[in-house]
Amino acid sequence: MNATTIKRNWYDANQSYLSASLALVRYSIEIYIAKSDNESVVTEEEALKQALESAAAVMPQPSALERVCRIFGLSTFEANILLMCANMEFSSDFGGLCAAAQGDAQQAFPTFSLALAALPDAHWDAIAPHAPLRRWGLIDVGEGKALTLCPLRINERILHYLIGTEYIDEQLNGIIEPMKEVGYLVSSHQELSEQISLVWKQAPNSGILTAVQLCGPQPTTKWAIAADVSKKLGLNLHIIPAQLVPAIPNEMENLIRLWEREAILGNNALLIEYNNLDTSDRVRESAIERFTERINCFFFVSSRERMYLKQRPMVSFDVDKPTVEEQTELWQGNLSDLAPKLNGQVNRLVAQFNLSPSTIQAAYTEAVGKFSQTGGKDLDKILWDACRIQARPRLDALAQRISSKVDWSDLVLPSAQQKMLHEIAAHVRQRATVYQSWGFAKKNARGLGISALFAGSSGTGKTLAAEVLASELSLDVYRIDLSSVVSKYIGETEKNLRQVFDAAEEGGVILLFDEADALFGKRSDVKDSHDRHANIEVSYLLQRMEAYPGLAILTTNLKSSLDNAFLRRIRFVVQFPFPDTAQRAEIWRRVFPANTPTEGLNEKKLAQLSVSGGNIRNIALNAAFMAAEDSEAVQMKHVLRSARTEYAKLEKSLTGSEIDGWVN
């Protein structure tokens, strides 16, 4: 017998059992009206009870009514009140029966007064607010002159449950939703799922269920673990974003009551998604704490960092990314059909991108689609770019992605600086070989991050160098303005930096921290709490840079303002000098694109302008616009006009020696 047939049999038997139960309660009302106890009445009652017993005998599993009575602890009288209200929904003449029983045509509805008078085993505390019927919202109490005379109605969710229809209360729609299929678990995450399952299986039955906290930056991996644990325990997982937890107390209490009822009715567990909450929203944070303290069901908290509850037990687990070996297996499993075309690409992907199982699957799907469009070409590049794209979304919200279209030919620097930049590229490219294959990571896990400081005045090529490295390594470069990250509030700077690094680790992007002077300085001498906190912030940044599995670059205009103790922790320090005359001439030779029409430009004379490469690019661009407006090729006269504009912006004046011999 298949599952559909079993379900159909239960549904039919449940209908019969419910009908027999409703008939018995209706009979109690009819007897109350008749006020009779003759032999024929007794016989009819016995027949109805026999019908109920017969319906119960063929139930393959407990009926919905029996489940409700058991899980909410309803007495016989309370169950009959529920059935009395249900009769109103199934029998069109039941309202008239209620009116007759209460001797008032206006009372054509069930009341507590009628229940206390007509139903067997009546007890007053059944109608108390803390009793199951009202505490769990099984019935809704309308308005009336007195509590006992208020109209009663069965809650719609409970009515459908008694019939055998399963759904989540519509009042929870848009707040709490069923968790969708979230993917595959690698072996280390399967082990974590087993540990969590044991925690809940072995937790003492103290009335307050143990909460489980899943900590880490990857939401989808934590969702997959929570779903697997729920499946093992026979629970259906649902999710609520922390932003939707109400802060108003009575709204929160209503949500808690509704969900606890759903958790009991449907064997449901809840996952509170705390990852994307704005931690500066103190009101919302407080609401989440109250919510997690008060709700009593199986629930998970998914958060980046640990939160602590004062009034209930909560066990925390750190959810790490899949190991290198696990990521390799995932890629090989997905790419098994394309293995002959890979040429060791999987190792490169795993060395560069630290992706979750769901992100690997998404990157694979995207890459295969593009690969088929190209007719089976450039698989390595397509896979690499797909990983770059999949790793972007979280970081795009935190930093500025710079689109890099430059190469080494665009960078004019002395040979020593050029050589050092090539060394940086080699460190990034060969990181997997040296750290993993050659064992350096096992020997010493500290300081494996590749950090660099680019020092020099504005416009000397620091950002351009970062873009060149990004192009060379086929990586994204993200710019973070440290002056906007630093906060006057204690702990906020570290929190902002942590969000950036956590998001960046997935793609191993190049992080470019501009304006390092906003955070760094000669702060070794601690004179007050501000100095002490500043040192903590600097130490945190350096610690994350040293652990970051990619390239992190700091830029500064004032290297002299940085403390030597901090500089020693940076792997590469590249000084970007102000370009000399020969270098400026070289920059002028390269600054205009090949398609730009030029006429009579003299690079040696142009190099007389004592400006940096960034200013040269500004002057060249403005000159091009001027020439285009004049419908002419770019000439020295256009550059001269543009140079005057740039110098005015810099609050400088052109000297005669700088423009000597430019125009006749």
Side-chain angles (χ1 to χ4, degrees):
M1 187 180 297
N2 60 38
T4 302
T5 302
I6 293 173
K7 186 175 181 179
R8 182 76 253 177
N9 289 346
W10 177 88
Y11 185 84
D12 293 340
N14 184 69
Q15 294 293 313
S16 298
Y17 185 88
L18 180 60
S19 297
S21 301
L22 291 167
L24 261 175
V25 171
R26 180 187 179 96
Y27 171 78
S28 296
I29 304 296
E30 291 171 342
I31 291 300
Y32 175 72
I33 295 171
K35 294 182 174 57
S36 172
D37 58 358
N38 59 42
E39 186 175 338
S40 64
V41 168
V42 173
T43 302
E44 183 178 352
E45 181 180 11
E46 288 298 324
L48 290 170
K49 289 181 177 178
Q50 182 59 46
L52 181 61
E53 291 175 3
S54 299
V58 297
M59 287 294 305
Q61 296 174 358
S63 68
L65 176 61
E66 289 174 304
R67 292 178 189 168
V68 168
C69 292
R70 174 177 54 80
I71 60 183
F72 294 113
L74 300 184
S75 66
T76 301
F77 177 56
E78 289 166 331
N80 285 336
I81 292 176
L82 195 65
L83 289 166
M84 179 178 68
C85 296
N87 262 307
M88 278 292 292
E89 307 296 334
F90 294 118
S91 302
S92 59
D93 64 340
F94 194 75
L97 201 65
C98 292
Q102 296 176 96
D104 184 349
Q106 301 300 314
Q107 293 283 96
F109 45 74
T111 63
F112 283 134
S113 177
L114 175 58
L116 290 165
L119 300 179
D121 303 320
H123 54 95
W124 178 263
D125 59 355
I127 71 174
H130 63 271
L133 288 176
R134 295 177 65 190
R135 176 193 171 197
W136 293 107
L138 307 184
I139 59 172
D140 301 322
V141 182
E143 296 182 359
K145 297 178 181 178
L147 175 62
T148 55
L149 299 178
C150 292
L152 304 180
R153 185 172 184 178
I154 187 171
N155 179 268
E156 184 178 356
R157 171 70 178 96
I158 301 303
L159 175 67
H160 290 298
Y161 185 86
L162 291 180
I163 296 171
T165 302
E166 285 287 358
Y167 71 100
I168 294 293
D169 195 307
E170 62 182 10
Q171 296 180 74
L172 297 172
N173 286 347
I175 302 174
I176 297 177
E177 301 290 345
M179 176 66 78
K180 298 177 182 178
E181 186 69 31
V182 286
Y184 171 78
L185 288 183
V186 297
S187 57
S188 60
H189 295 155
Q190 289 172 356
E191 292 174 5
L192 198 57
S193 173
E194 291 289 347
Q195 294 176 32
I196 298 169
S197 301
L198 287 174
V199 167
W200 269 345
K201 287 177 181 177
Q202 298 174 357
N205 186 16
S206 60
I208 299 294
L209 295 169
T210 300
V212 167
Q213 181 173 204
L214 302 175
C215 304
Q218 270 295 318
T220 54
T221 300
K222 292 181 288 185
W223 297 350
I225 292 171
D228 192 63
V229 172
S230 299
K231 185 177 180 180
K232 286 182 171 71
L233 299 176
L235 301 170
N236 303 302
L237 185 63
H238 291 69
I239 185 170
I240 178 173
Q243 294 89 333
L244 297 183
V245 173
I248 300 173
N250 63 335
E251 292 182 4
M252 181 184 293
E253 288 303 313
N254 184 57
L255 177 64
I256 289 174
R257 178 181 61 82
L258 285 174
W259 176 252
E260 287 182 349
R261 189 176 73 183
E262 286 301 327
I264 295 172
L265 288 174
N267 288 326
N268 296 318
L270 184 64
L271 185 144
I272 304 168
E273 180 46 68
Y274 196 63
N275 265 54
N276 298 321
L277 185 69
D278 181 1
T279 53
S280 65
D281 188 344
R282 305 303 184 190
V283 173
R284 183 63 56 189
E285 275 200 322
S286 178
I288 293 297
E289 290 175 8
R290 294 199 310 273
F291 183 74
T292 50
E293 291 280 11
R294 290 191 52 75
I295 195 166
N296 192 26
C297 65
F298 287 107
F299 75 88
F300 302 86
V301 175
S302 169
S303 59
R304 287 180 177 273
E305 300 162 8
R306 294 172 186 264
M307 61 181 291
Y308 299 93
L309 302 181
K310 299 176 182 178
Q311 301 178 22
R312 74 176 308 147
M314 184 161 68
V315 182
S316 297
F317 295 88
D318 291 320
V319 179
D320 298 320
K321 292 280 185 64
T323 64
V324 170
E325 293 75 19
E326 289 170 337
Q327 291 183 52
T328 301
E329 289 177 7
L330 283 170
W331 276 114
Q332 290 173 340
N334 280 310
L335 295 167
S336 57
D337 295 339
L338 301 172
K341 302 177 181 292
L342 291 177
N343 298 321
Q345 176 72 348
V346 168
N347 292 336
R348 287 189 63 225
L349 292 176
V350 174
Q352 182 60 47
F353 302 101
N354 188 18
L355 303 179
S356 68
S358 61
T359 309
I360 288 175
Q361 180 62 47
Y364 162 75
T365 302
E366 179 181 335
V368 167
K370 291 183 178 179
F371 183 60
S372 62
Q373 293 173 2
T374 64
K377 298 178 181 178
D378 299 325
L379 177 60
D380 287 4
K381 183 178 185 305
I382 289 171
L383 279 171
W384 186 273
D385 289 343
C387 290
R388 285 175 62 180
I389 292 169
Q390 287 298 324
R392 283 175 183 169
R394 288 177 53 225
L395 195 53
D396 277 343
L398 300 169
Q400 175 194 4
R401 178 161 53 88
I402 301 174
S403 180
S404 178
K405 297 180 180 179
V406 295
D407 56 31
W408 294 106
S409 65
D410 296 286
L411 192 62
V412 177
L413 284 173
S415 59
Q417 281 80 356
Q418 289 266 7
K419 182 178 179 182
M420 194 171 296
L421 291 175
H422 279 283
E423 286 182 13
I424 293 173
H427 277 235
V428 176
R429 196 161 32 235
Q430 302 301 330
R431 189 179 66 249
T433 300
V434 174
Y435 289 165
Q436 305 302 327
S437 301
W438 293 2
F440 272 74
K442 294 179 181 178
K443 189 174 183 64
N444 189 350
R446 292 184 296 106
L448 300 182
I450 302 169
S451 57
L453 176 72
F454 289 177
S457 59
S458 180
T460 51
K462 300 186 296 295
T463 301
L464 179 63
E467 293 181 48
V468 169
L469 286 170
S471 295
E472 170 73 11
L473 298 166
S474 297
L475 294 174
D476 290 325
V477 57
Y478 280 83
R479 177 184 178 275
I480 303 98
D481 187 346
L482 272 177
S483 63
S484 66
V485 170
V486 173
S487 172
K488 64 181 179 180
Y489 298 106
I490 292 177
E492 286 298 316
T493 299
E494 294 95 311
K495 189 178 294 184
N496 294 337
L497 289 170
R498 181 164 52 249
Q499 289 181 333
V500 170
F501 278 105
D502 285 349
E505 283 179 353
E506 194 167 83
V509 302
I510 295 175
L511 291 176
L512 178 66
F513 290 96
D514 253 356
E515 306 295 338
D517 310 298
L519 185 60
F520 281 66
K522 291 193 174 181
R523 292 170 170 169
S524 294
D525 297 329
V526 178
K527 298 178 181 177
D528 57 28
S529 60
H530 294 289
D531 291 334
R532 185 179 301 107
H533 180 54
N535 276 343
I536 291 172
E537 292 173 341
V538 169
S539 295
Y540 180 79
L541 174 59
L542 291 173
Q543 173 191 335
R544 290 305 301 259
M545 288 177 66
E546 289 172 336
Y548 177 60
L551 172 60
I553 301 170
L554 295 164
T555 72
T556 178
N557 295 338
L558 299 170
K559 180 186 173 186
S560 59
S561 69
L562 305 185
D563 190 272
N564 289 332
F566 300 146
L567 289 175
R568 283 195 295 270
R569 296 176 64 178
I570 303 294
R571 188 179 298 189
F572 294 96
V573 177
V574 184
Q575 182 68 48
F576 287 72
F578 190 87
D580 59 22
T581 304
Q583 290 165 348
R584 293 199 297 271
E586 186 62 32
I587 294 172
W588 277 111
R589 271 190 288 273
R590 303 182 189 187
V591 73
F592 290 104
N595 292 335
T596 304
T598 61
E599 181 180 321
L601 294 183
N602 187 318
E603 289 83 6
K604 290 185 178 180
K605 291 182 178 180
L606 292 173
Q608 295 168 187
L609 292 174
S610 183
V611 290
S612 68
N615 300 125
I616 291 174
R617 279 181 281 275
N618 290 341
I619 294 170
L621 181 62
N622 193 24
F625 275 103
M626 291 176 179
E629 182 67 12
D630 293 342
S631 299
E632 297 177 344
V634 180
Q635 303 170 43
M636 293 293 286
K637 64 179 181 179
H638 300 118
V639 177
L640 178 58
R641 286 161 54 194
S642 179
R644 294 188 191 281
T645 301
E646 185 71 9
Y647 269 57
K649 184 177 70 176
L650 298 173
E651 298 182 346
K652 292 174 57 178
S653 298
L654 279 168
T655 64
S657 61
E658 286 180 302
I659 58 174
D660 181 41
W662 274 36
V663 290
N664 297 324

